[in-house]
Amino acid sequence: KTFDYACVSNLMKRLVYAISIVLAAAWFFAAGVSCVKEDEVLGESDVQLTFSCDTLTFDTVFTTLGSTTRQVKVFNHGKKKVRFLSAGLRGGYASRFRTNIDGDTSLVVKNLEIEAGDSCFIFVQVNVNPNASTEPFLVEDCIDLAVSCEGGVVTRSVVLTAYGRNAVYHNPQAGRSYSVIDCDGWNHTLPHVIIGQAVVDSATTLTLTAGDELYFAPDATLWVYNCGTLKVHGSEEKPVLFTSLRRDEWYHELPGQWNAIWLSAGSADNEIDHAYIENGTIGIIVDTNVNSNPTLRVSNTVLMHHSTAGIVARGAWVEGDNLLVADCGKACVSLQYGGRATVRNSTIANYWRYTSRELPALVLNNWYQSADGQTVLRGLGQVLIDNSIIYGTYTGTEVMEDKIDGADFDVKFTNCVVKGLSRLSYSRSEGCTDTDPKFEDTDEHDYRLAEGSPATGKGYQWPTESK
C-alpha cells in the first residue's frame, strides 16, 4: 500500500499549530506576571516579627575558649512575606559574637526571606578576649533585622549578652597528656580551668583556699600523684568549687562532664574542708593508705550529680564529717578493696533519675579481682557510720554488703536512718531506724529535713566539752 504523505503533512500542520497556541499562551502568561511587582510594598503594620526571646544570654564564658551554641527563632506573624535588607550583628567585625542565620554565616546576610506565618533560626556563639579583670565582665551586642517598608526602614533586634571571665589554664604540656601544677605559684584571684590531667607532683602540696574555683573540661582530672598532697581549706561562705567547664543553664546539674579528683596510691594526708564537688564521673577517688594517718579527711562538703559515684575509696582510710553525697549514677559512696572509714553527721541520699540504678547508695566490699582473674581478699575493718542518713529510691536496702569470708568485715551503724536496715546480714547497728527521713524536696536536690521529719533531733548530741 502506498504511504499517504498528504495525511502526515496535515497532521504535522495541526501539531505545529497546537504548539504555537501553547507557546503563545505561555508568553502572554509570563508577560502578565512580569507586569506584577516582584515584592509588594510593606506597610509598617505588615512587619509583624517576633523573637523566641528578647535577650539571648550566655552564662559565664571563659576567655579564649568560646561558648556552646545557642539559638533564637524569628517568627513572621504577618500576612505577607518579609524580605530583609540586612540581618547581622550590630557590632560588625568587632563583635565577640558570631552567627549562623538560616544557614548563612556571613557577617551581614542579605535578602533573607521569611514567608508569611513561617520562621527561621539564628544560631549564636561567643568568644571572649582576655583582659586585666579579675571579676566577671559583661559582653554585649545585638542582632539587627532591617526591613524596607513605606516611609523607611523598620528594624527589629534581639540583645545578646555574655559574662566573660579571665582564667588560669592548665593545658597538657607538649608531648604529654598532662600538665604539672605550680603549687607554690597557684593564683587564688582567678578561676582555674583544667584541661586533660593536671598533676600535683611528688613531694608537693597544693593548698586551695576559700573562694578558689576549678573548672574541668570533658574527661579532665585533678591527679594528686605519689607522695603528693591536696589541702582544701574553704569556708562556709566561700566553699572551694570543683565543677564542669560549661556554665550554661542546661549544664548546671548534668553529670559526667569531667572525670575526677584522683588521690592516687601514695598520696597522703589529704584534707578537703568546705568544698562543693559536682557534675563529674566520680567526685573523689581515694587509693591505698600509705601511713598512720587517714588518706583523706573530708568535712563540710557536698558531692552531687556524678555519673558513677561521689566517693570511691580503694583500700583507703577515709574520715568524713558533715557530708552530703547525693544523686549519683551508681553508688554515692563505695568503700571497696578493704580499708577503713568513719563517717559522721552525713547524708548519703540517692534519688538519681536519669537511668535505673545498678547499686545501692552505700557499697561495702572486702575483696577484689586481680588482673589474672584471682580473688584477692582485703579486710574492711573499723568502719563506723554514725549519726547519718542512708536513703534513696533503690529497691530493698540502700547498703550493699559485698563480703567474702576470710577477711575482716567490721562495719557498724550507730544512731542512723538506714533504708533496708533489717536486711543487713553482716553489719551491726545500734540506735538505728528504717524510716523515710522526709527530705525537703528531692526533685530539687534539697536534702534538708522537712518539718515533721522523723529524723529531726534523733542523732546523738555530742557533749559540748567533747567538741
Side-chain angles (χ1 to χ4, degrees):
K1 186 176 179 179
T2 304
F3 194 78
D4 191 347
Y5 288 98
C7 180
V8 172
S9 177
N10 289 334
L11 182 61
M12 290 298 293
K13 289 178 180 178
R14 291 174 183 174
L15 182 59
V16 170
Y17 179 75
I19 293 173
S20 299
I21 294 297
V22 171
L23 291 174
W27 184 87
F28 281 112
F29 178 78
V33 170
S34 67
C35 293
V36 178
K37 293 182 179 179
E38 185 175 337
D39 288 308
E40 294 184 81
V41 177
L42 300 177
E44 187 170 348
S45 62
D46 295 321
V47 184
Q48 298 183 29
L49 299 173
T50 62
F51 298 94
S52 55
C53 60
D54 295 326
T55 302
L56 189 64
T57 302
F58 293 80
D59 287 338
T60 302
V61 178
F62 290 103
T63 54
T64 74
L65 284 184
S67 71
T68 55
T69 299
R70 303 205 63 192
Q71 68 181 37
V72 59
K73 197 172 184 179
V74 187
F75 301 92
N76 178 9
H77 296 294
K79 297 181 179 180
K80 297 179 180 180
K81 176 178 70 177
V82 173
R83 173 179 288 180
F84 298 96
L85 289 174
S86 64
L89 294 162
R90 186 180 298 176
Y93 285 105
S95 176
R96 302 315 308 164
F97 297 89
R98 288 296 177 263
T99 59
N100 179 321
I101 301 176
D102 199 34
D104 193 331
T105 59
S106 303
L107 192 64
V108 178
V109 176
K110 300 287 188 180
N111 298 322
L112 171 68
E113 296 180 352
I114 305 179
E115 296 290 341
D118 205 349
S119 61
C120 78
F121 283 100
I122 301 177
F123 299 95
V124 186
Q125 291 181 322
V126 59
N127 195 311
V128 181
N129 280 341
N131 59 25
S133 176
T134 59
E135 299 294 329
F137 51 91
L138 186 64
V139 179
E140 294 182 293
D141 202 350
C142 292
I143 298 173
D144 292 329
L145 305 178
V147 181
S148 178
C149 62
E150 287 182 328
V153 175
V154 172
T155 300
R156 297 288 184 266
S157 303
V158 60
V159 177
L160 308 176
T161 66
Y163 281 94
R165 291 195 75 182
N166 293 297
V168 177
Y169 295 92
H170 300 269
N171 291 291
Q173 296 165 352
R176 297 177 176 177
S177 61
Y178 63 89
S179 59
V180 176
I181 294 174
D182 177 7
C183 295
D184 293 333
W186 184 269
N187 186 322
H188 296 280
T189 62
L190 289 175
H192 289 249
V193 173
I194 309 297
I195 299 170
Q197 292 181 330
V199 177
V200 178
D201 210 351
S202 297
T204 64
T205 298
L206 174 61
T207 301
L208 304 178
T209 57
D212 279 353
E213 300 172 53
L214 285 78
Y215 295 88
F216 292 78
D219 300 319
T221 302
L222 177 62
W223 178 12
V224 183
Y225 192 57
N226 181 29
C227 298
T229 300
L230 175 65
K231 303 284 189 183
V232 176
H233 299 154
S235 68
E236 184 176 355
E237 297 77 17
K238 293 184 177 181
V240 175
L241 179 63
F242 301 83
T243 190
S244 52
L245 179 60
R246 294 301 186 189
R247 306 311 303 151
D248 301 77
E249 183 177 357
W250 189 77
Y251 292 87
H252 282 178
E253 297 175 354
L254 183 67
Q257 296 183 66
W258 54 286
N259 189 28
I261 301 169
W262 180 19
L263 310 176
S264 66
S267 70
D269 302 318
N270 300 287
E271 298 175 1
I272 298 177
D273 181 52
H274 282 103
Y276 202 104
I277 305 168
E278 62 177 4
N279 301 347
T281 300
I282 299 175
I284 308 171
I285 303 171
V286 194
D287 279 337
T288 305
N289 189 58
V290 294
N291 62 20
S292 58
N293 299 321
T295 322
L296 170 66
R297 287 186 171 95
V298 54
S299 55
N300 306 307
T301 290
V302 174
L303 299 104
M304 295 182 71
H305 311 309
H306 297 285
S307 59
T308 297
I311 298 175
V312 173
R314 305 185 290 202
W317 178 4
V318 176
E319 298 282 342
D321 186 25
N322 194 27
L323 308 179
L324 171 60
V325 190
D327 299 335
C328 299
K330 293 186 178 178
C332 284
V333 176
S334 180
L335 306 178
Q336 59 190 44
Y337 309 168
R340 58 184 290 191
T342 300
V343 178
R344 298 184 186 277
N345 310 310
S346 297
T347 296
I348 300 172
N350 208 350
Y351 290 77
W352 175 266
R353 57 177 181 260
Y354 289 95
T355 55
S356 297
R357 266 199 294 139
E358 302 173 4
L359 296 172
L362 175 62
V363 172
L364 306 168
N365 165 279
N366 69 346
W367 65 279
Y368 69 95
Q369 192 170 56
S370 64
D372 59 1
Q374 299 298 310
T375 297
V376 180
L377 300 181
R378 294 188 71 175
L380 183 67
Q382 301 180 51
V383 173
L384 174 64
I385 313 294
D386 179 62
N387 271 30
S388 297
I389 298 173
I390 300 96
Y391 223 83
T393 54
Y394 193 76
T395 302
T397 178
E398 283 285 5
V399 179
M400 174 183 279
E401 299 170 305
D402 185 18
K403 176 184 182 296
I404 291 182
D405 291 336
D408 287 344
F409 193 88
D410 182 10
V411 178
K412 184 177 181 181
F413 295 89
T414 59
N415 308 304
C416 292
V417 175
V418 182
K419 183 178 182 180
L421 177 68
S422 63
R423 302 189 187 190
L424 300 183
S425 303
Y426 306 104
S427 302
R428 294 168 291 137
S429 66
E430 181 180 302
C432 296
T433 62
D434 180 359
T435 307
D436 187 340
K438 299 188 183 303
F439 295 116
E440 191 72 41
D441 191 341
T442 58
D443 288 338
E444 295 298 324
H445 319 290
D446 184 348
Y447 291 104
R448 295 173 298 172
L449 297 178
E451 184 176 353
S453 166
T456 301
K458 298 300 183 184
Y460 178 74
Q461 302 298 311
W462 292 94
T464 303
E465 60 269 21
S466 69
K467 291 184 179 179

